[in-house]
Amino acid sequence: MIGTIAFRAPRPDEGAQLWELARDSERLDLNTPYAYMLWARDFRETTVVADVDDELVGFVTGFLRPEDPTTLMIWQVAVDESQRGRGIAGRMLDELASRTGAAAVETTITRANEASVRLFASFAERRGAEHTVTDLFAPEHFPGTEGEWEAELLHRIAPLRPEPREETEALDALEEAIR
Ligand SMILES: CC(C)(COP(=O)(O)OP(=O)(O)OC[C@H]1O[C@@H](n2cnc3c(N)ncnc32)[C@H](O)[C@@H]1OP(=O)(O)O)[C@@H](O)C(=O)NCCC(=O)NCCS
């Protein structure tokens, strides 16, 4: 279980691995392999993957909203089951927010996805940001109305502090100590 964790942008040829992680999560909406391949090529700057001992075990896909490029929209998050509970998803969000310098993070989550709600609530706490939840896509917006879709609520986290709270506080304490 212990291993060296590293975070980086995906390589353009790693889309298939993102698709496999999404498939194996059994929770995410599984898109076509092509969608993940395109993502790893064209949205790699707003996507992060986690390696444990050089094995790709997690990803966060995102994009800067064309209408508001200061907002980082997170599309999907997955961590291999064997690596969950180690803070990898949270650290991938931190990495992406820092790398893009986004002023806000948005995502949509269904009510039942407690892990995801906690992941984003915890990120908001670390960044000292407001976390608001509003309606976005209702079940009837999705194709087919047989009730197989759950409402996707829009979570918005803003304004973002530049770095996670602990790092900022540690720096503040260091500055105080040498003053
Ligand atoms: C959701 C998921 C990405 C979390 O990955 P992870 O690396 O285990 O998450 P972390 O260890 O970084 O935990 C982040 C926070 O979420 C909480 N959390 C993680 N899994 C949880 C669960 N099953 N139930 C409740 N809270 C959970 C953690 O306790 C932590 O909270 P804290 O910061 O207050 O301690 C992972 O469970 C997963 O891949 N699930 C399947 C796909 C999915 O549902 N993706 C999210 C929708 S986009």
Side-chain angles (χ1 to χ4, degrees):
M1 169 89 164
I2 308 290
T4 310
I5 307 174
F7 302 95
R8 61 182 174 83
R11 290 193 305 269
D13 63 356
E14 288 179 319
Q17 288 180 68
L18 304 196
W19 179 82
E20 282 169 6
L21 277 174
R23 176 198 62 192
D24 295 347
S25 80
E26 294 179 356
R27 175 102 213 188
L28 293 176
D29 258 349
L30 185 60
N31 299 278
T32 62
Y34 184 79
Y36 296 90
M37 289 155 71
L38 207 55
W39 213 270
R41 190 190 88 141
D42 288 341
F43 293 89
R44 60 188 303 274
E45 292 304 325
T46 50
T47 294
V48 61
V49 298
D51 293 318
V52 171
D53 290 340
D54 297 324
E55 189 188 337
L56 201 160
V57 299
F59 72 79
V60 175
T61 45
F63 59 91
L64 296 175
R65 294 195 67 220
E67 281 176 22
D68 172 15
T70 66
T71 294
L72 173 67
M73 177 73 187
I74 301 295
W75 177 37
Q76 290 191 319
V77 184
V79 172
D80 185 80
E81 207 167 358
S82 67
Q83 300 294 330
R84 290 186 191 159
R86 300 182 68 188
I88 292 178
R91 287 172 64 191
M92 287 195 292
L93 284 184
D94 288 336
E95 159 75 18
L96 208 45
S98 297
R99 194 207 296 165
T100 58
V105 159
E106 289 186 353
T107 196
T108 71
I109 311 178
T110 57
R111 273 196 186 85
N113 195 339
E114 273 176 48
S116 195
V117 170
R118 187 62 228 149
L119 169 67
F120 283 91
S122 179
F123 171 75
E125 284 159 22
R126 282 199 299 286
R127 295 284 170 153
E130 295 246 339
H131 181 178
T132 52
V133 183
T134 50
D135 291 330
L136 186 61
F137 300 125
E140 60 270 24
H141 290 142
F142 289 93
T145 49
E146 288 78 44
E148 74 234 57
W149 298 102
E150 292 175 70
E152 289 280 350
L153 303 177
L154 179 68
H155 289 241
R156 182 173 169 85
I157 297 166
L160 295 181
R161 292 156 66 108
E163 292 300 331
R165 188 185 284 274
E166 307 94 76
E167 286 178 30
T168 313
E169 282 171 2
L171 280 177
D172 288 348
L174 188 64
E175 275 173 22
E176 185 68 27
I178 55 181
R179 220 173 264 147

